[in-house]
Structure formats: structure tokens, C-alpha cells
Amino acid sequence: MTFAEIFLDPFIEYAFMRRALVGGLALAVGAGPLGVFVVLRRMSLMGDAFSHAILPGVAVAFLIFGLSLPAMSIGGFVAGVTVVLGAGIIARNTNIAEDASFACLFVLSLSTGVMLLSVGGNALDLVHILFGSALAIDDEMLALIVGIESVTVIAFALIIRPLVIDCFDPAFLRVAGGGGWVNPLFLALVVVNLVAAFQALGTLLALGLMILPAGAGCFWSLRLWPRIVFSVSVGALCCYAGLVLSFHFDLPTGPAIVLCAGAVYAGSVIFGRYGGLVRRAMQRAPA
Amino acid sequence: MSAASVALDDLWVAYDGTPAVRAVTGRFAPGSLTAIVGPNGAGKTSLVKAMLGLQHCSRGAVRLDGATRAEIGYLPQRAEIDRNFPISVLDMVQMGHWRRTGWFGRMPAAATRQSLAAIDAVGLGPQVHAPISTLSAGQLQRALFARVIVRDAGLIVLDEPFDAIDARTTAELMALVETWHRDGRTVIAVVHDLQQARTRFGDALLLARDVIAWGAAERVLTPDNLSKARLRLEAANESWADAGAEAGP
């Protein structure tokens, strides 16, 4: 096979591959910067909880409206926000720690969602929603994903200054005032992005494109903007590579994309310039 | 510089019903330079956080005069900030302009010049573009002081500014605190070094959950008062254990 046959033809010949690629690139552009801050705020596991919290809302919408994209997205968003707020309220008003409160609600929503889908739908629906189907993205879905990501990028640009201060030194922002809205806005953006990503990657993997490139970026730069650019670029590249791999080897698309990002992460852990394993070993034993 | 004052009126702070600060009443006068001193667990940081509105007061009130809470120049404990956050010294110091720029406002050139001057003033000129994660503890503290300079506040509150800092940095930063005092700003600092509190600060507040003494530093930090503070805290700890931590508001 020639270079073009491997890397270009799938996208030239098949519209569904083009739509999957455009959708994936849009997700990478929105999720990259958010992921950097999810990692900086030490919210990675909480983000996982959010992405699973979407499921019961998607399931209920699916059972009522069928495979309607707007209904499933709105259902997912409502369920995600409800679980986030609910876990926060439970943690503040009871003795349970915040992370435990999130974990409890997340397994509850995951099992509720799986139960609803198994009872009301069939096994294929369940697999589709849990693991996504990037190749099934139609024009309507693509418009929704690109729309959400455009709003995300604009909103991110508007909140980045207080977001940076709040991450770095929350007490400073609380004393100086004026940043009270930044945390809820940021959480809402994360949930919206997970909703957008679940179409392509499924609720179980939606976080992959957000967290893995951002986590890998920690090993390559001590500055914010390079990390954001790195996250977006790696996310976009992995979408492309995952699609090519899944096309030629008949692999499931969502896991192929996330595993590509996983390979970048693994490489960064080993060879990363800041705190990578090889670097550390060399620093311990100077030649 | 219009100095501000802080009045505390029967201030209590409690965690789960166990008081950390009890019935503190008094006033930090405009233009005063006060060291808050006390044994570990005396409630120094709790008191400071209550003044800043970061900690709920279970009883009593904090009254600021001549400054709003948002105008306080606050230096948090270094343990409370994310030392690995990926920003440069300059970006961090620019945060001091937050009240002026808000969420979207442009950073005026004059504001950036102020930040650069403040970074020079704390001796971090060569590190102006360095990521903060590459700084030593002392350098990071210098950068945080630069951010306080930029805020240009009439009331400055420093939480353990000299904790785990080398002697040279401590001396230089203490000199900076003294220039703030000469400018007429009101400065309140949580301090561990008794010698430093006695010789460099005009006033002292000796705390052991309640106020042991508050006034001129040399009259407050006497051996008598210091042992009283230690005993008070030990007695308090025992009585809480005995009484099952039921007392307090």
C-alpha cells in the first residue's frame, strides 16, 4: 500500500471517516485546554465520576425519545450537573469526604444507567452508549459537537484568568473577591464537553481525550500555554491516528483513539523531560 | 498611604464545636506593625483567616476600617499554594492587579511596569520569566512578597512569612516589611521567631486560643507571658479531652 492509500484514502473515500475526523479534531480543541486544568486542579478522578454520571440521563432520554441526539445530550447534561451538585451538597452537609461522596454517586449512576439500558434497550444500544461510535457521527451530531466545542473555546478564553488564580492560590481569589463564578462555570464546561465526547468515545472513555494528553503534557513543560498547545495537538493527532488504525485493522474507534493517547502518555512517563523515569534515573546516577 | 485598622469584637472560631480561637477582643491600630505569636495550635492562622473572611467566625465580628476585605494585601502560607503550577514569576506577580483588571480587562503597561519593579525590589530580577516550580522556598516567598507589593494595600496580612526561609531572605523580606510600616501601612504577621518579634515588630499579640497579652512587643513577649501561653494551651488540651470537647459556643 502506498502512503496515500494508508493515510489519506480512508478520509477521501468515506464521508463517515471525514465526519469522525472533524468531530474528533473539534473535541481535541475543546477538551485539551479543559484537561490541562482538570489535571492541575487534581480533579482527574472526579472527572471520571462526571463522565459516568452522564449515563442515566442519556439512558432515560434514549428510552423516551429513542436515538435522538439533542434529547440524549440534554439528558446527559442534566444528569451530570445533578450528580456534581448532589455530591457536593452531600459532602458539605454530612461527614463523608468529597471524593468518597463523588465515587458513591458515580457507581450509583453508572449502574442505574446500565440497568435502564439493559431493561429498556438491547445489548447493542448499551455498547454503543458505553463505548461510543465515532463512525456513526452524522451531520446533526457533528454540528452539535462543533457547536459545543466552539462555545467551550470562547468560554475558556473568558474564564482563564480567574481560573488560573483559583487553581494556583484559591485563598487569594477568595480574599480579593470577584471569582465566585469561575468554579461552577468550569465544572459546567467539563460536563458539557463530556456530553459532546460521549457520542464519539462513549461515556466510559469520554474523559480519555481530556486527561491523557494533559497528563502527558505535565512531563514536557513547566508553562501553561505550551501545555495547552501540547494537549490540543496530541489530542488531534491521536484522533487521526486512532481512526486510521481502526479503519485498517477493523478496531473499535473509541478505544483505538484513547489507546493512541495512552501510548503518548506512557512515552511521556518514561522519557518525559520533567520528572520522566529516564530523566530521574539519570539525575540519581550522574555519569 | 491611608492606613486601615482592624477591630476584633469577641471573636470565636471553632471546628466541630472545639474552639480554636476564643473571645479575642482588641484592635490593630492604623499604621501599626504587629506580630501574632503563640505556641503551635494557638489559633494564629485561624485568627488570620477569620479576619480575611476565609474562616467562618462562630461568634463575634471583625470590623475593618479604611479598607475593604478585598483590598487586604494577603500573603498565604506557602503550603496553601500549588508550587508546581505552570506559570512564571511575572505571571504570578501580575495576579496582584486582579482587582483592577477583573476577568477580561487588559493589563495596562503601567501595571506590568509595577510588577517588574516589584520583582526587582525583592531581588528576583534574573528569575522574572522562570517557572515558579524552579524556585527555591526563599525565592518563591520573595515572589509572593512581590505580589503583595503590587497590591499596594493599606492593610497587609502575612501568614508565617518567614517559616522555613533562609536567614538572608528573612532579613531582606523583614526590611521590606519595615518599609511598608514606614509608609504608614498597617501590617499584621504571624511570626515564630520570638527574637525577631521582640526586636523588629512594634506590637505583639500573644495567643493561646485566647489572648494572653496584646500591646507593645517588649511588654507582651516576657518569659512570664510565654510560659503562661504554653501552660494555657496544655491545660486547654487536657480539659477538652476530659470534657469530651463539649465546651465552647
Side-chain angles (χ1 to χ4, degrees):
Chain A
M1 279 212 279
T2 65
F3 176 86
E5 273 168 5
I6 296 173
F7 294 105
L8 299 177
D9 283 2
F11 301 98
I12 294 170
E13 282 172 30
Y14 297 102
F16 69 83
M17 287 295 284
R18 285 198 292 279
R19 282 195 293 266
L21 182 63
V22 174
L25 295 181
L27 286 175
V29 169
L34 289 179
V36 170
F37 280 89
V38 168
V39 169
L40 283 173
R41 294 174 84 102
R42 294 157 213 278
M43 278 180 32
S44 309
L45 287 173
M46 224 177 265
D48 202 33
F50 294 176
S51 70
H52 300 16
I54 293 169
L55 192 61
V58 173
V60 168
F62 174 74
L63 292 180
I64 299 175
F65 300 101
L67 213 68
S68 151
L69 185 70
M72 286 162 73
S73 300
I74 292 168
F77 181 71
V78 170
V81 168
T82 308
V83 169
V84 171
L85 293 178
I89 289 169
I90 291 174
R92 270 194 300 281
N93 294 304
T94 66
N95 268 339
I96 197 164
E98 198 177 29
D99 62 328
S101 166
F102 272 94
C104 290
L105 280 193
F106 125 62
V107 283
L108 269 178
S109 34
L110 186 62
S111 45
T112 307
V114 172
M115 180 68 84
L116 285 170
L117 283 169
S118 306
V119 171
N122 58 41
L124 197 65
D125 298 330
L126 182 61
V127 169
H128 173 91
I129 289 173
L130 285 181
F131 300 107
S133 47
L135 302 184
I137 292 180
D138 57 16
D139 284 342
E140 187 194 11
M141 226 182 249
L142 191 58
L144 184 87
I145 291 173
V146 173
I148 286 178
E149 297 312 335
S150 308
V151 171
T152 299
V153 169
I154 294 167
F156 183 78
L158 294 179
I159 68 169
I160 184 164
R161 188 181 282 160
L163 190 61
V164 165
I165 302 179
D166 192 40
C167 286
F168 170 69
D169 184 358
F172 175 87
L173 192 62
R174 276 181 66 195
V175 171
W181 280 100
V182 70
N183 201 34
L185 275 175
F186 176 72
L187 292 179
L189 279 181
V190 171
V191 173
V192 167
N193 266 267
L194 294 171
V195 169
F198 103 85
Q199 305 290 347
L201 299 172
T203 55
L204 289 184
L205 296 177
L207 200 66
L209 211 47
M210 202 179 273
I211 292 296
L212 286 169
C218 299
F219 291 97
W220 296 107
S221 178
L222 302 179
R223 292 165 196 282
L224 194 57
W225 284 106
R227 275 200 201 174
I228 290 175
V229 171
F230 179 92
S231 258
V232 171
S233 320
V234 167
L237 268 175
C238 291
C239 279
Y240 172 75
L243 283 169
V244 169
L245 286 173
S246 89
F247 182 85
H248 291 295
F249 298 101
D250 197 23
L251 301 170
T253 324
I257 292 171
V258 174
L259 281 175
C260 284
V264 175
Y265 176 73
S268 305
V269 170
I270 297 169
F271 300 108
R273 180 158 173 229
Y274 299 103
L277 292 173
V278 172
R279 234 351 123 114
R280 287 242 164 137
M282 277 162 54
Q283 279 161 357
R284 263 199 300 274
Chain B
M1 176 51 58
S2 65
S5 69
V6 188
L8 308 177
D9 182 15
D10 189 29
L11 186 77
W12 292 65
V13 176
Y15 300 101
D16 282 335
T18 310
V21 173
R22 290 191 302 187
V24 175
T25 299
R27 181 164 175 265
F28 298 93
S32 59
L33 171 59
T34 310
I36 300 180
V37 181
N40 284 331
K44 303 181 293 288
T45 291
S46 296
L47 180 70
V48 163
K49 293 208 157 159
M51 284 173 6
L52 292 158
L54 292 172
Q55 172 65 49
H56 173 74
C57 314
S58 31
R59 202 162 93 194
V62 178
R63 271 195 306 279
L64 298 176
D65 194 22
T68 63
R69 207 159 247 166
E71 287 163 357
I72 299 175
Y74 168 48
L75 182 104
Q77 285 185 25
R78 272 193 328 287
E80 291 184 17
I81 63 166
D82 181 358
R83 278 201 63 178
N84 290 317
F85 198 83
I87 49 169
S88 67
V89 169
L90 178 60
D91 285 342
M92 198 272 268
V93 173
Q94 295 275 53
M95 286 180 190
H97 297 297
W98 162 250
R99 295 287 304 167
R100 260 167 285 173
T101 59
W103 285 41
F104 331 114
R106 251 183 82 246
M107 185 69 67
T112 304
R113 277 198 299 278
Q114 278 174 21
S115 300
L116 292 170
I119 291 168
D120 274 334
V122 297
L124 275 186
Q127 282 87 18
V128 64
H129 294 298
I132 58 159
S133 56
T134 61
L135 301 182
S136 68
Q139 287 173 324
L140 181 63
Q141 195 67 311
R142 288 170 187 262
L144 288 166
F145 264 77
R147 189 175 68 176
V148 174
I149 296 178
V150 161
R151 302 239 24 215
D152 191 23
L155 171 59
I156 295 172
V157 177
L158 312 170
D159 197 354
E160 308 211 351
F162 309 118
D163 190 44
I165 296 290
D166 59 282
R168 183 166 155 227
T169 304
T170 301
E172 289 182 31
L173 293 180
M174 187 63 223
L176 193 60
V177 170
E178 282 165 341
T179 65
W180 290 339
H181 179 53
R182 280 197 296 277
D183 290 345
R185 300 173 208 264
T186 310
V187 183
I188 302 166
V190 175
V191 173
H192 280 295
D193 181 347
L194 290 173
Q195 185 60 25
Q196 184 188 34
R198 220 175 265 129
T199 55
R200 311 294 288 270
F201 285 78
D203 291 306
L205 160 56
L206 180 58
L207 197 67
R209 296 211 177 129
D210 27 20
V211 177
I212 303 295
W214 191 347
E218 71 271 20
R219 280 202 303 279
V220 166
L221 300 174
T222 59
D224 265 6
N225 280 340
L226 292 168
S227 63
K228 210 193 306 180
R230 262 192 299 278
L231 287 173
R232 183 81 57 94
L233 205 59
E234 279 162 22
N237 284 333
E238 277 160 25
S239 79
W240 300 133
D242 292 345
E246 64 188 338

